[in-house]
Amino acid sequence: MINDLIVYQFHVGVFSALDQAGRDIRPYRVAKFLDALERIEYLADLGVTAIQPLPLVEFQGEWSLGYNGTDIYSPEMDYCIGPADIAPYLARLNALLAKKGFPPLGPDDVGGQVEQLKAFIDVCHLYGIAVIPDVVYNHAGGGFDGQSIDHFDFPASPNNQNNLYFSGTGYAGGRVFAFDRPEVRQFLIDNASMFLQEYHADGLRFDEVSVIENYGGWSLCQDMTQTLHFLKPSAVLIAEYWNNPREHAIRQPPHGMGFDLSYADGIRNTVRGALAEARAGADAQVDLVPLHHALGQNPQNTPPTRMYNCLENHDLVLDGDGDHRWPRIPLLADATDSRSWYARSRSRVVTGILLTAPGVPMLFMGQEFLEDRLWSDNPTRADRFIDWAAMVTDPTRADFHRCTKDLISLRRSQPALRGGATNSYHVDTLNRVLAFHRWVPGQGRDLVIVISLSESTHTAYSLGFPATGQWQELFNSDYYDHFPNPWVQGNHGRTIAYPTPMHGLPASAEITIPANTILIFAQPPSE
């Protein structure tokens, strides 16, 4: 189900690559599809339910973000292993298959780029991870020469107006497809269908659907989503759509484009805004009202469960040619020291918000263990690789990873976090406290989530609760600092709510809210 998704985004070319001795070999070459399999057991253990690799199709040159595709029907050759080097990769692949009770593959089974991408996706499925590739149908890139799809018909005098596939409009270094041509529309729909049918992808992430709409592709999107849902009803179709109203992306035709999820920036922008204010110090004002509104209402009218949320992604934290984008979360939390208590504790809070807020959450590679480096698609930029070794050498990274893993586990175990209703019912800007209530309509399964960006612990803090009785403290992020935190503050695992109405709810309790912490309370199941 869509609501069960917890997505992990990564770039194949720089994600991970180890030699047979376990040494990192990313600085020396582009990483491969089969390199990424080295992290499948790690991702399955983390608990994510889907991966979203950046575009996988052929582009010019050895490395790229992938958004300048030149042959959108071919997997990128530089992501594949040649026959001379396949033996150790085949051994690793077969070891993964054997753990799931499947017979080994032979060299011919993974002999080319198509077979290697198929093997990668199949192994992900065996380990319970869906695959949602990123596809680009707003434009294509490259040198627009004989190696690209620009002039497959080789006209006598090539120009922007006489090619098979494109309009004369440029976008992002490439050219926009001619969405008014039936053969171009079918070409793109067939490409998307190929990923679902031939590669067994579980869905697709569509890049910049806003651009497709802006250049006449509204009906293409409708035809695309209807065809794909017919071919594979379970397919998850995610639109990066920034036009207003946002609901156009996820409404059904004829009034919408028919996607399942639409990118949202309300949680992202308000969380990042609050973090930037909090790092100014204990006396700074931290305005939690925008976050309160983002949790409790949606100005773009996108149903909350149809929102696709992230705090980091490939665009935001890319270091491209010195063009520094947004800082990664630890450095946003503390610009002077990304491993300080301020950085650690605030990062735990906002990770908790992402994983308890309505909508589908997406993590960017390394975010789960406090990665502070901007990333680059350039395989020679070792200073921009996510630092896998730090998981072993830096206890703060390991503690943060454990925190993220437990939050993911909690989300998977609590129906109210995956698709329930939300009421952000209390915001206290003076004390930097916010609380929201999540539940499953008609079933209950109530949760109360309390966040604090205060640098001091609040004791005997009076807070509304949706029902009287005992409430279990399911999660306390303070516990993960120097795990297990010997100085942890909290509620000793539970609190009692009494029939004193408060904050619009019928009951209330006095709780301890540790500094820079997210708490999650639930009522024990009735016997």
Side-chain angles (χ1 to χ4, degrees):
M1 292 178 59
I2 290 175
N3 291 339
D4 294 330
L5 288 173
I6 303 167
V7 183
Y8 189 95
Q9 186 190 37
F10 69 93
H11 182 279
V12 169
V14 295
F15 181 52
S16 179
L18 301 174
D19 66 12
Q20 291 177 272
R23 293 174 298 229
D24 193 338
I25 55 174
R26 286 175 297 174
Y28 308 105
R29 63 160 177 76
V30 174
K32 317 297 182 185
F33 294 129
L34 299 185
D35 283 319
L37 286 181
E38 297 161 354
R39 302 294 176 182
I40 290 304
E41 290 178 296
Y42 164 84
L43 292 172
D45 180 71
L46 179 63
V48 296
T49 61
I51 55 172
Q52 181 188 303
L54 271 68
L56 304 172
V57 298
E58 189 67 45
F59 48 77
Q60 281 193 328
E62 184 181 1
W63 50 270
S64 168
L65 293 176
Y67 294 92
N68 57 333
T70 54
D71 181 355
I72 63 174
Y73 277 80
S74 297
E76 168 55 37
M77 288 187 294
D78 285 300
Y79 290 167
C80 299
I81 298 292
D85 301 314
I86 197 65
Y89 290 90
L90 189 59
R92 294 178 200 167
L93 172 60
N94 285 332
L96 290 168
L97 292 173
K99 288 181 180 180
K100 297 298 181 180
F102 283 80
L105 299 179
D108 291 343
D109 297 318
V110 289
Q113 61 224 63
V114 170
E115 291 78 15
Q116 290 179 26
L117 177 55
K118 286 182 176 180
F120 170 76
I121 293 174
D122 287 345
V123 171
C124 289
H125 289 164
L126 292 180
Y127 283 80
I129 297 174
V131 182
I132 305 173
D134 196 336
V135 292
V136 186
Y137 298 141
N138 52 68
H139 78 291
F144 298 106
D145 54 22
Q147 294 186 46
S148 76
I149 62 175
D150 190 34
H151 291 293
F152 271 14
D153 52 343
F154 289 101
S157 301
N159 61 65
N160 288 357
Q161 307 301 326
N162 69 350
N163 57 70
L164 287 174
Y165 294 97
F166 298 103
S167 69
T169 303
Y171 175 74
R175 287 217 292 279
V176 175
F177 283 103
F179 301 121
D180 59 329
R181 300 177 192 170
E183 59 271 26
V184 173
R185 296 161 65 94
Q186 194 61 51
F187 173 80
L188 297 175
I189 291 172
D190 288 347
N191 183 256
S193 303
M194 174 194 72
F195 279 104
L196 300 188
Q197 293 184 296
E198 296 186 29
Y199 289 96
H200 301 159
D202 302 280
L204 297 168
R205 181 266 188 190
F206 293 79
D207 180 65
E208 279 290 7
V209 172
S210 315
V211 175
I212 299 176
E213 180 189 36
N214 293 345
Y215 291 103
W218 171 274
S219 60
L220 165 67
C221 292
Q222 294 177 319
D223 292 346
M224 177 89 72
T225 58
Q226 289 178 303
T227 298
L228 298 180
H229 280 138
F230 174 79
L231 293 174
K232 191 168 188 174
S234 63
V236 179
L237 308 181
I238 305 170
E240 184 193 12
Y241 182 75
W242 301 114
N243 290 344
N244 288 319
R246 300 279 175 83
E247 64 177 317
H248 277 174
I250 51 88
R251 292 184 68 183
Q252 291 302 304
H255 304 295
M257 297 189 218
F259 292 95
D260 299 301
L261 296 169
S262 180
Y263 270 61
D265 56 8
I267 300 293
R268 181 190 78 198
N269 291 346
T270 56
V271 163
R272 281 182 163 268
L275 266 187
E277 292 173 343
R279 76 180 183 189
D283 297 329
Q285 180 175 348
V286 179
D287 186 3
L288 294 174
V289 172
L291 176 58
H292 164 71
H293 290 317
L295 288 165
Q297 54 187 296
N298 178 30
Q300 282 88 26
N301 297 317
T302 302
T305 56
R306 307 285 293 279
M307 296 188 299
Y308 194 52
N309 294 317
C310 66
L311 302 180
E312 299 180 346
N313 64 36
H314 71 284
D315 278 327
L316 297 179
V317 298
L318 170 70
D319 179 13
D321 297 326
D323 177 20
H324 287 237
R325 305 292 179 91
W326 297 18
R328 299 203 70 160
I329 291 300
L331 280 172
L332 180 62
D334 184 349
T336 63
D337 183 357
S338 64
R339 296 292 172 267
S340 71
W341 172 78
Y342 299 102
R344 301 192 307 268
S345 58
R346 291 168 184 158
S347 296
R348 288 192 295 265
V349 171
V350 301
T351 301
I353 294 171
L354 175 67
L355 290 167
T356 58
V360 171
M362 186 265 279
L363 297 165
F364 186 63
M365 57 181 183
Q367 184 179 348
E368 74 277 15
F369 59 80
L370 210 64
E371 182 58 75
D372 60 358
R373 298 175 178 177
L374 296 176
W375 82 284
S376 171
D377 58 332
N378 185 339
T380 68
R381 291 289 307 274
D383 61 321
R384 291 294 179 235
F385 293 160
I386 58 172
D387 189 359
W388 292 107
M391 286 271 288
V392 177
T393 61
D394 184 351
T396 63
R397 300 275 194 120
D399 291 347
F400 195 90
H401 173 268
R402 184 189 297 268
C403 178
T404 305
K405 178 179 174 179
D406 286 355
L407 279 165
I408 289 173
S409 177
L410 192 63
R411 182 179 180 91
R412 294 183 64 167
S413 68
Q414 295 293 325
L417 294 180
R418 301 197 304 276
T422 307
N423 172 29
S424 182
Y425 65 90
H426 175 64
V427 59
D428 176 359
T429 295
L430 179 63
N431 290 304
R432 301 183 179 183
V433 172
L434 183 147
F436 58 103
H437 172 206
R438 301 214 59 189
W439 73 99
V440 179
Q443 298 181 32
R445 308 296 294 270
D446 298 66
L447 300 173
V448 170
I449 296 97
V450 184
I451 68 170
S452 170
L453 286 173
S454 171
E455 295 181 17
S456 302
T457 294
H458 299 301
T459 57
Y461 190 95
S462 296
L463 182 70
F465 273 73
T468 59
Q470 180 172 296
W471 286 78
Q472 181 182 0
E473 189 180 67
L474 289 183
F475 185 87
N476 178 348
S477 64
D478 191 43
Y479 183 58
Y480 294 87
D481 205 60
H482 302 289
F483 182 88
N485 188 353
W487 310 284
V488 64
Q489 301 292 302
N491 300 277
H492 305 289
R494 71 185 185 98
T495 191
I496 304 293
Y498 296 96
T500 303
M502 184 175 289
H503 304 139
L505 296 179
S508 60
E510 287 191 349
I511 62 173
T512 295
I513 309 175
N516 285 344
T517 291
I518 181 167
L519 303 173
I520 303 174
F521 293 95
Q523 283 200 305
S526 56
E527 298 181 0

